[in-house]
Amino acid sequence: MPHPNDPSLRSFVPVDPSSDFPIQNLPYGVFSARGLAPRVGVAIGDFVLDLWELEQDGRFGFREIGVFSQPSLNSFMALGPKVWSSTRARISELLRADHPELRDNEELRQQALVPMRDVRLHLPITVAGYTDFYSSKEHATNVGVMFRGRDNALQPNWLHMPIGYNGRASTVVVSGTKVRRPRGQLKPPNVELPSFGPCKRLDFELEMGVVVGQGSAMGEMLTEAQAEAMIFGFVLLNDWSARDIQQWEYVPLGPFQAKAFATSISPWVVTRQALEPFRVSGPAQDPVPLPYLRQTRPNNYDMALEVGLRAGAMNIPRTICATNFKYMYWSSVQQLMHHASSGCAMNVGDLLGSGTISGPEKSQRGSLLEISWNGTEPVELAPGVSRTFLEDGDSLVMRGGCQGDGYRVGFGEVEGTILPAE
Ligand code: MN
């Protein structure tokens, strides 16, 4: 059987070369259509393959479990990496142009292939815990220069471990969910006492989210191989941030309400296996990390990422950032090894935000804080329309993907529109 990443594979489902969802991708999501309950599906071209229909028809080896009838991927993820791998190979086989099983079964095909335009996409996982890291050296340096000056930009701990904080799983939402402007305590530097009101400096953060598909026991440390094997896949992630709330509250324990009101993720989870051909080395790490954080393999990915911003009156978004996931200083595998290193248990469904992904160039900055340099350099979106931070009605869209030879392994998009504060 050909490997599911084989670039020469073609599906009997027509897929445009510019599509994010060729047969080499097969990302998982949760969808509903035809008035039926949400279930697990896979994106292929402009269709969603209904895995519950196929499971009920006995096309997978685990009919009795009903993992694909669930409104989240957690039950499937809990089955582990061997099942992820064999299932992906089986789905690839079922969709192949040279495999007649589904191709020539018109009744099953009609049941199992649903046009993407007819489905509603849901949050793909039940988020067990959400942790956000701060692993782009360029982002941490930009923020440090703005707030502490060039000489103290990176904190002394930054080059020694992936810095992170425990965020809120309760407000992780799927793309398309409207985001209400948060309220909080505000105390601009020039006033004496704080007031409570709507955030005035609302921002996005371009990130990737790691979906953890296997747990680890409390007290257990993880090797590089163990950490990698626990990663089920990746999503696009927008870590919405209230900069004014953050600036007043973050001392001394870090972000709290400034990041807790919403985090948006893409509906499709691209598997680690589909990204395998795009593995690259990250930046050289100097100083060499402590032994428990050392990695022997290239654990970064060559993945182009783009952010578009559409102000109320504009028809299409204007690109305000184009960068790459490969710039991240600390890899997802290192983040996971560090996370478990104290004895912290990891759970199926944990979500790890990479941290804002900025690159070395000005056009590669992954937040408005950096793009507008803390509000001092407005970005022009259209004639007469400029922004320093997000305004009500603005729509923010992130896209991303890896370019293969004649195909593209993409994530679709994560979109969010700002509603006025209540
Ligand atoms: Mn963040």
Side-chain angles (χ1 to χ4, degrees), residues 26 281 319:
L26 306 178
S281 292
T319 301

Side-chain angles (χ1 to χ4, degrees), residues 19-150:
S19 169
D20 278 351
F21 308 128
I23 194 169
Q24 289 82 4
N25 189 351
L26 306 178
Y28 292 91
V30 170
F31 76 101
S32 56
R34 311 158 170 159
L36 297 171
R39 74 265 316 272
V40 175
V42 152
I44 176 80
D46 294 328
F47 290 83
V48 178
L49 183 68
D50 186 331
L51 298 187
W52 177 223
E53 281 293 336
L54 295 175
E55 191 185 343
Q56 288 178 94
D57 205 56
R59 306 289 164 168
F60 299 109
F62 37 81
R63 182 175 186 169
E64 68 287 358
I65 305 175
V67 288
F68 293 140
S69 69
Q70 307 293 313
S72 96
L73 294 173
N74 293 45
S75 303
F76 173 60
M77 293 195 296
L79 298 179
K82 280 198 182 120
V83 176
W84 307 343
S85 180
S86 58
T87 304
R88 182 162 182 267
R90 177 69 175 133
I91 295 168
S92 172
E93 179 181 60
L94 285 166
L95 287 169
R96 255 168 41 210
D98 59 355
H99 187 81
E101 186 178 346
L102 182 59
R103 186 193 67 194
D104 296 348
N105 185 337
E106 201 192 327
E107 200 191 331
L108 185 58
R109 222 175 52 226
Q110 291 294 339
Q111 283 300 313
L113 281 167
V114 189
M116 190 83 81
R117 62 173 183 274
D118 295 340
V119 309
R120 182 170 161 220
L121 295 167
H122 302 267
L123 192 66
I125 58 171
T126 303
V127 183
Y130 167 50
T131 306
D132 193 34
F133 286 92
Y134 190 57
S135 289
S136 154
K137 192 175 177 185
E138 289 82 2
H139 172 69
T141 303
N142 284 339
V143 174
V145 169
M146 271 182 260
F147 293 111
R148 286 181 300 276
R150 192 157 290 281

